[in-house]
Amino acid sequence: MAYNFDRVPNRRIPGALNKWTFYPKDVLPLWVADMDFPAPKPILDELRKAVNQGVLGYELASTPLLETVATRMDRLYGWKVKPEWIVPVTGIVSGFNVAARAFGSPKKGYLVQPPVYNEFHEVKNNVGIPQVDAPFVKQVKANILHYEIDWDLFKKQAKKVSMFLICSPHNPLGIVFSRRDLSRMAEICIENNVLIVADEIHSELLLDEKKFTPMAKLSREIANNTITLMAPSKTFNVPGLHCGFAIIPNKELHDEYVKVVGHLRLHVASLGLHAAQAAFSGQCDEWLKELQYYLTGNRNFLVDYVTKNMPDVRITIPQATYLAWLDFTQLNLEKSPFEFFFEKAKVALSDGAIFGEKGHVRLNFGTSRSILKQALDRMQKSLHSR
Ligand SMILES: Cc1ncc(COP(=O)(O)O)c(C=O)c1O
């Protein structure tokens, strides 16, 4: 192992408001989705080079950068992307809100699969189009949670919308959808004239050596009906640099999308572009491999810990992301689990209610095993002393 993910820097930086300083000092933060690991060296070197040069002027995405993104799609997935399909965006949340502005209609809604990333629930407020839900069906085996697509409901709800916003891999459930499920969802969308917007920000954070398929890779017809949103931000832990890419093979959709990006002047910061170049160049892939291994270890540790030490608590076995989903509905806690653990264990998690399922929390295990263990010990103790 060349990288030591057991050692994480102190993020309680005076004057900075971040995951570690947002809450009081005695709280362990396992909430917002960034990791506690420094970004890989090639990215930091690239940023240092830009800072040392000294001029942080305006920059646009260069052709070599767009070629780097395209090459990565081909190398990872055999997806032949043309650089001219790629539109840089100031993040994936901006990316899907732009799509909703460009293509949403107040008469027809947008489809989502709760419990799902909280920003998916905000699109209705941001853009003024109705949200239509096709929740997963929850299954429980011993204390392990599985979530499956309810196909009848998905088909029914698809008729009410003009856009499907898919989170693939799924936050907070950690699902890596099979090609079969992706094809089936895409088929239903095409049948109903529903545009697919695929948030694939977590696509490289794979556990257990899982394989990921971009929705748009499935067929030319699906690619023509899909806006894919990719970014190096989660994978290489540079989300604060706000840089992502919309990949849009359909020229009409592409041009309309670019217009809205232009109207809103969504220019990516120059350091975000530099970081993306280094991140997608391949120079950070060894780091990523070791990160995936470490995160898989954290996931195993977490599931094992909950299974052994927290009776009646249920948990997912995420196949991707550094996010786990825990169900406390069997415990009859006097408060929401978010409030309970915040007050009694001094652990900050993400409240399941913001994703669309009360009685649950999302736990961010993108940290050192020792911090993860401390947080779990605190949680276990607070449950025992109820
Ligand atoms: C599914 C998903 N999409 C988008 C984002 C945020 O993307 P960005 O910071 O690029 O807007 C997150 C962050 O947690 C996420 O989980």
Side-chain angles (χ1 to χ4, degrees):
M1 289 279 139
Y3 305 97
N4 186 357
F5 294 101
D6 282 328
R7 278 186 41 205
V8 295
N10 177 12
R11 296 183 65 193
R12 294 199 199 273
I13 304 158
L17 186 57
N18 66 23
K19 181 185 181 183
W20 280 81
T21 58
F22 187 83
Y23 292 118
K25 263 191 169 158
D26 55 350
V27 173
L28 277 179
L30 272 60
W31 61 293
V32 69
D34 66 29
M35 299 185 282
D36 290 330
F37 313 121
K41 189 168 176 299
I43 296 182
L44 298 176
D45 286 347
E46 192 62 37
L47 293 171
R48 280 190 201 104
K49 212 166 84 190
V51 170
N52 289 342
Q53 197 274 339
V55 182
L56 296 169
Y58 290 118
E59 282 188 44
L60 296 172
S62 63
T63 305
L65 172 58
L66 300 181
E67 283 168 355
T68 299
V69 178
T71 303
R72 192 162 187 85
M73 296 304 114
D74 190 17
R75 191 156 57 76
L76 295 183
Y77 315 116
W79 182 23
K80 309 277 179 217
V81 166
K82 293 197 175 140
E84 59 267 29
W85 298 349
I86 304 171
V87 188
V89 283
T90 50
I92 299 310
V93 176
S94 324
F96 58 69
N97 276 289
V98 165
R101 261 172 203 265
F103 309 111
S105 134
K107 288 195 199 109
K108 283 210 145 188
Y110 69 104
L111 181 62
V112 297
Q113 297 171 297
V116 72
Y117 178 45
N118 50 302
E119 291 289 350
F120 280 30
H121 298 273
E122 295 303 323
V123 172
K124 60 178 173 296
N125 305 321
N126 300 338
V127 183
I129 58 177
Q131 177 178 328
V132 175
D133 291 342
F136 290 99
V137 184
K138 182 176 180 172
Q139 292 177 345
V140 187
K141 266 192 214 146
N143 72 319
I144 301 301
L145 297 172
H146 293 274
Y147 284 79
E148 305 248 328
I149 298 166
D150 177 339
W151 289 106
D152 290 336
L153 182 63
F154 189 90
K155 273 185 206 155
K156 187 173 139 207
Q157 301 300 65
K159 295 189 192 314
K160 302 178 190 163
V161 302
S162 63
M163 185 176 123
F164 171 38
L165 182 51
I166 181 174
C167 190
S168 171
H170 191 279
N171 166 12
L173 301 180
I175 301 169
V176 177
F177 295 107
S178 66
R179 289 175 74 97
R180 199 165 154 261
D181 283 355
L182 289 171
S183 299
R184 209 164 156 197
M185 287 188 269
E187 237 168 65
I188 297 168
C189 287
I190 289 171
E191 269 166 30
N192 290 284
N193 213 10
V194 173
L195 172 71
I196 301 168
V197 177
D199 175 341
E200 298 184 352
I201 194 170
H202 293 285
S203 50
E204 293 198 53
L205 282 171
L206 301 168
L207 309 177
D208 300 317
E209 301 179 13
K210 265 299 241 203
K211 295 278 176 263
F212 172 79
T213 307
M215 179 66 104
K217 167 71 189 7
L218 291 170
S219 75
R220 191 174 286 239
E221 191 188 15
I222 296 170
N224 242 327
N225 187 52
T226 300
I227 294 175
T228 302
L229 297 163
M230 291 272 188
S233 51
K234 295 283 151 177
T235 315
F236 300 103
N237 208 29
V238 288
L241 292 174
H242 288 282
C243 175
F245 302 97
I247 306 176
I248 316 175
N250 179 317
K251 173 109 175 57
E252 245 172 75
L253 295 178
H254 172 277
D255 292 354
E256 209 44 48
Y257 190 93
V258 166
K259 254 191 225 165
V260 178
V261 168
H263 292 165
L264 296 170
R265 297 286 184 271
L266 294 177
H267 295 301
V268 180
S270 54
L271 292 182
L273 298 171
H274 286 267
Q277 171 66 44
F280 276 174
S281 66
Q283 294 173 78
C284 306
D285 288 5
E286 271 309 305
W287 177 93
L288 175 58
K289 225 176 176 181
E290 292 196 19
L291 173 77
Q292 290 167 335
Y293 182 79
Y294 192 84
L295 290 177
T296 304
N298 270 6
R299 192 271 325 263
N300 291 345
F301 177 80
L302 167 64
V303 173
D304 207 45
Y305 191 104
V306 171
T307 305
K308 286 190 182 133
N309 302 300
M310 297 187 187
D312 300 325
V313 177
R314 298 153 165 181
I315 185 166
T316 49
I317 304 182
Q319 303 166 320
T321 78
Y322 43 80
L323 307 165
W325 185 243
L326 284 81
D327 173 354
F328 294 91
T329 52
Q330 303 303 298
L331 264 58
N332 295 320
L333 296 176
E334 64 271 21
K335 297 181 169 193
S336 75
F338 167 76
E339 288 170 307
F340 178 86
F341 290 115
F342 189 80
E343 288 167 21
K344 305 266 196 262
K346 304 285 179 206
V347 175
L349 301 154
S350 299
D351 190 348
I354 64 172
F355 304 91
E357 205 173 8
K358 287 183 188 157
H360 295 64
V361 292
R362 188 188 74 177
L363 183 152
N364 176 342
F365 58 86
T367 188
S368 70
R369 194 132 333 142
S370 128
I371 291 171
L372 177 62
K373 181 170 183 314
Q374 281 175 54
L376 291 169
D377 285 346
R378 287 187 189 190
M379 289 169 69
Q380 184 207 11
K381 215 164 135 202
S382 68
L383 287 174
H384 279 264
S385 57
R386 266 188 307 153

